Amino acid sequence: LLEQLNFGKGETLYGDTPLAILKAFLESGVSYLGGYPGSPTASLIDAISDSYDTILEPKGIYCDCSGNEASAASLLSASISYPIRGSVNWKIVGTNVASDALSHISSSGVVGGAMIIVGEDYGCDSTCVAERALPFALKSTMAVMDPRGDLEHVAKMVRAGFELSEYSNMPVMFLLSTRVAHIMNKMKCSDNQEAKISMLNRLDNLTTNIETIPLPPFTFDHEKKKYNERIPAAQKFILDNKLNEFFDGDESSIGIITHGMIYNSLMRCLYNLGEANLYGETKLPILNLNVTYPLVPEEIILFLRDKKAVLIVEEGMPNLLEEQIRSITQRARLGLDIFGKDIL
């Protein structure tokens, strides 16, 4: 299976989600990988460890099985000043441990693509508490990707995530729900990319830009950049690259907004109700958010403007997507009914 990590453009990889994510890392030209094992991301650590000697080390990729989530998060600081792409991973509750490091890195911003794979598990399949990662991203200003359950789509979102991170100078939190983490399927491969900077292509001259250090007065400049530059840049990238998906339907007066793996659950429910077929075709228009932060007001308004009512199908609490969508609707003065946690 691991030999498939060297497949090139047009070849088909057969395997599970961790293998597909690792392949997408290689196609994105990553320089470093790290993480702290915890379900549902533990299998990704296994894939990285199993392939280190034969595939990753010969490519000059640095790998670290970190002592804890804070140690893993600190690896992302390599992307603050240099065009170095890298990713770390842990399970949802580990985000609490990593929060301090993430706050500082998010304040400084990154120039190399920095991605955090978070094992999202609101259903408590492998964790003891029901929590969401989205609030951590909101407080620290990190983009959040939440892909629906399709192996090729997951790999596509990983590649796009590194580009989004570099375009917006924000770290990207990539949510890997339990059900998405255990998909077995196939995907079309692209060519692997050599890292610009790696253990084989080392930096000769290190630079220090004092303005990237999150201490006053620079902290206040970082805060301005977060909301005046980074978020607008992320919204432009999301819109230009159509990272969120519009699924058409014949019924124009009502619609559904959902996100990530909940899209797959939604389609199953609609099928059971006789409102969709097994190919995902339904009469109801659906906006599926593969990026749940930042939301793009233009996309939300475009979907809502001709509707009389919309249902927001959001996993877990707090219902942050619903509240943001209600705010966007009010600001745009759209007159329609919005339903969410009041009926679900």
Side-chain angles (χ1 to χ4, degrees):
L1 286 177
L2 294 177
E3 295 175 355
Q4 298 178 97
L5 293 172
N6 286 320
F7 280 3
K9 184 176 181 180
E11 293 185 273
T12 301
L13 178 147
Y14 294 87
D16 60 4
T17 303
L19 191 68
I21 289 176
L22 184 51
K23 180 66 171 83
F25 286 162
L26 297 178
E27 293 172 355
S28 301
V30 297
S31 301
Y32 64 90
L33 297 171
Y36 184 76
S39 181
T41 62
S43 296
L44 180 56
I45 291 280
D46 290 341
I48 292 170
S49 300
D50 291 345
S51 61
Y52 177 72
D53 290 335
T54 58
I55 296 174
L56 302 182
E57 186 181 31
K59 296 181 186 299
I61 299 173
Y62 175 82
C63 297
D64 183 3
C65 191
S66 310
N68 56 41
E69 294 86 355
S71 176
S74 67
L75 285 173
L76 299 173
S77 61
S79 299
I80 291 175
S81 299
Y82 308 101
I84 301 175
R85 288 184 171 184
S87 177
V88 296
N89 67 85
W90 52 72
K91 67 191 297 183
I92 170 61
V93 290
T95 314
N96 301 282
V97 182
S99 182
D100 189 8
L102 291 178
S103 296
H104 287 77
I105 292 165
S106 296
S107 182
S108 299
V110 296
V111 295
M115 180 177 292
I116 308 110
I117 307 286
V118 178
E120 185 88 337
D121 185 34
Y122 198 83
C124 295
D125 293 307
S126 62
T127 59
C128 298
V129 295
E131 283 197 344
R132 300 183 67 186
L134 183 56
F136 290 95
L138 287 169
K139 81 169 185 64
S140 296
T141 318
M142 295 180 283
V144 180
M145 305 188 81
D146 187 8
R148 58 180 169 85
D150 175 86
L151 204 62
E152 197 160 296
H153 179 74
V154 169
K156 174 185 175 183
M157 288 295 108
V158 169
R159 294 190 296 266
F162 285 108
E163 296 175 5
L164 171 60
S165 177
E166 291 174 353
Y167 192 87
S168 65
N169 302 129
M170 291 194 293
V172 168
M173 187 174 280
F174 191 98
L175 306 187
L176 188 63
S177 71
T178 304
R179 284 166 288 171
V180 173
H182 298 296
I183 292 172
M184 293 289 293
N185 212 310
K186 61 183 179 179
M187 59 170 275
K188 290 291 184 184
C189 297
S190 297
D191 292 333
N192 292 337
Q193 302 296 320
E194 182 180 356
K196 297 178 181 178
I197 301 169
S198 69
M199 301 297 287
L200 301 179
N201 301 311
R202 298 182 182 230
L203 280 171
D204 293 325
N205 299 310
L206 298 179
T207 60
T208 299
N209 180 3
I210 192 172
E211 294 184 2
T212 63
I213 299 174
L215 289 172
F218 310 117
T219 305
F220 305 112
D221 290 330
H222 298 167
E223 198 72 357
K224 289 179 182 178
K225 288 180 179 179
K226 282 182 179 181
Y227 297 100
N228 295 337
E229 298 177 16
R230 299 176 191 171
I231 287 180
Q235 290 170 327
K236 183 179 186 303
F237 185 91
I238 294 163
L239 194 61
D240 290 348
N241 291 274
K242 299 179 180 179
L243 298 186
N244 295 320
E245 299 170 296
F246 290 84
F247 297 97
D248 293 330
D250 296 331
E251 178 57 68
S252 60
S253 63
I254 59 177
I256 300 176
I257 299 178
T258 189
H259 64 102
M261 183 67 193
I262 299 302
Y263 168 81
N264 300 72
S265 301
L266 168 67
M267 295 310 300
R268 182 63 178 173
C269 291
L270 290 175
Y271 171 76
N272 289 338
L273 292 169
E275 296 294 335
N277 61 26
L278 289 175
Y279 302 98
E281 298 169 339
T282 176
K283 295 182 292 185
L284 302 173
I286 297 172
L287 169 57
N288 186 56
L289 300 170
N290 292 303
V291 184
T292 54
Y293 186 75
L295 296 183
V296 182
E298 295 94 324
E299 285 186 333
I300 304 296
I301 293 169
L302 178 65
F303 184 76
L304 296 181
R305 63 183 180 183
D306 296 326
K307 304 285 188 299
K308 294 181 180 179
V310 67
L311 174 65
I312 299 172
V313 183
E314 179 178 2
E315 182 177 44
M317 292 293 282
N319 54 335
L320 297 173
L321 295 180
E322 179 183 339
E323 294 305 317
Q324 288 182 75
I325 292 169
R326 288 183 182 276
S327 176
I328 291 169
T329 304
Q330 191 275 333
R331 289 175 183 271
R333 300 184 183 277
L334 299 178
L336 75 158
D337 293 323
I338 296 177
F339 301 95
K341 295 299 183 183
D342 51 342
I343 62 174
L344 293 180

